[in-house]
């Protein structure tokens, strides 16, 4: 993984490509997302144990999707928790982003789609529900800007923030694969891509070994 566009060093293993998709590519991808979300509607995830609702709504594309509920907690599964149908396929434009930037031969197995209304956020967490951490995680932003925060691999360490815009891509490989990260806020009215506002994040992952 490499990074030629960021003016100052990012943490080891992090790649950042500002404006990797141009506006026409974003519009085309959004159409591909909308047809798939019509088949696999956004659902409201709930925290394990407490059942507290997250403020982000989600769906997935690809063979495996990340879900969570009160009773069974965080996991990957092949079927949508509400419709019981397989997840739609991952749009080619996203497979191409993965091929171009991940440095990983095998394709992503999961594409988590997070939809943030302008008041939504995501607390600091690690992504560790996968059976393998050997592949990077690749993430694309669409719509309004957000304030993304990343820390180290232990809770409570120093963090730094990055404002992400529509079309930006981040990749987290190597040591950064298990870093704490979250989204502190969405900046309303910073993009015209989504007519109702908000932000979409698409996160590509490998889930199983080989
Ligand atoms: C760093 N999503 O879905 S994307 C998530 O904007 C998640 O929706 C946020 O965190 C969002 O789990 C952040 C950036 C991101 C995604 C996955 C990572 C950063 C990561 C995995 C490991 C390290
Ligand atoms: Fe995450």
């Amino acid at each position: 993984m490499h990074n030629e566009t960021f003016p100052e060093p990012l943490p080891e293993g992090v790649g950042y490509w500002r404006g990797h998709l141009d506006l026409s590519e974003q519009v085309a991808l959004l159409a591909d997302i909308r047809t798939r979300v019509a088949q696999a509607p956004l659902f409201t995830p709930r925290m394990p144990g407490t059942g507290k609702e997250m403020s982000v709504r989600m769906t997935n594309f690809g063979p495996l999707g990340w879900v969570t509920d009160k009773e069974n907690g965080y996991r990957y599964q092949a079927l949508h928790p509400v419709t019981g149908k397989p997840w739609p396929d991952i749009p080619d434009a996203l497979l191409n982003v993965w091929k171009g930037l991940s440095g990983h031969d095998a394709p992503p197995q999961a594409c988590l789609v997070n939809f943030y209304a302008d008041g939504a956020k995501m607390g600091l967490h690690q992504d560790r529900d996968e059976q393998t951490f050997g592949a990077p995680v690749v993430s694309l932003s669409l719509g309004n800007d957000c304030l993304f925060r990343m820390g180290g691999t232990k809770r409570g360490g120093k963090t730094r923030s990055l404002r992400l815009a529509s079309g930006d891509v981040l990749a987290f490989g190597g040591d950064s694969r298990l870093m704490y990260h979250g989204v502190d806020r969405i900046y309303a009215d910073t993009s015209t891509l989504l007519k109702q506002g908000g932000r979409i994040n698409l996160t590509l992952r490998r889930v199983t070994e080989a």
Side-chain angles (χ1 to χ4, degrees):
M1 206 165 355
H2 57 102
N3 172 38
E4 286 146 358
T5 57
F6 201 71
E8 48 175 304
L10 282 163
E12 187 63 39
V14 179
Y16 176 50
W17 295 268
R18 178 180 285 152
H20 186 67
L21 293 195
D22 68 22
L23 184 57
S24 68
E25 292 169 324
Q26 294 171 39
V27 168
L29 175 56
L30 185 60
D32 289 339
I33 292 168
R34 288 201 192 292
T35 58
R36 286 166 176 77
V37 171
Q39 301 303 311
L42 295 169
F43 59 91
T44 301
R46 289 176 180 272
M47 305 290 289
T50 64
K52 189 175 149 45
E53 286 188 352
M54 296 174 66
S55 63
V56 175
R57 292 187 299 148
M58 298 178 171
T59 190
N60 293 270
F61 307 147
L64 291 172
W66 188 87
V67 302
T68 175
D69 56 33
K70 179 178 161 76
E71 294 75 21
N72 296 303
Y74 306 144
R75 62 202 188 272
Y76 282 89
Q77 63 182 41
L79 303 179
H80 190 290
V82 178
T83 68
K85 295 194 292 188
W87 307 102
D89 62 356
I90 300 175
D92 281 340
L94 291 173
L95 295 176
N96 288 336
V97 169
W98 175 272
K99 277 182 208 154
L101 303 182
S102 72
H104 202 80
D105 285 336
Q109 294 171 293
C111 175
L112 176 60
V113 182
N114 292 325
F115 175 75
Y116 293 77
D118 287 329
K121 50 193 164 39
M122 186 179 287
L124 276 185
H125 65 277
Q126 289 175 300
D127 288 21
R128 48 184 320 149
D129 302 319
E130 299 74 29
Q131 292 164 33
T132 173
F133 304 125
V137 172
V138 175
S139 145
L140 169 73
S141 294
L142 291 176
N144 282 337
D145 293 2
C146 78
L147 189 63
F148 172 70
R149 192 212 291 243
M150 56 192 148
T153 56
K154 291 190 169 67
R155 191 177 276 290
K158 185 170 165 288
T159 65
R160 64 173 290 185
S161 295
L162 203 56
R163 183 167 169 151
L164 301 178
S166 197
D168 291 359
V169 175
L170 280 165
F172 301 87
D175 289 348
S176 74
R177 176 64 182 77
L178 288 170
M179 73 174 13
Y180 277 87
H181 59 279
V183 174
D184 288 340
R185 62 166 294 193
I186 307 296
Y187 296 94
D189 304 318
T190 50
S191 164
T192 54
L193 185 71
L194 305 177
K195 295 305 157 232
Q196 314 269 43
R199 169 177 181 265
I200 297 171
N201 180 261
L202 302 135
T203 299
L204 301 165
R205 299 184 178 88
R206 292 287 304 176
V207 177
T208 62
E209 197 65 59

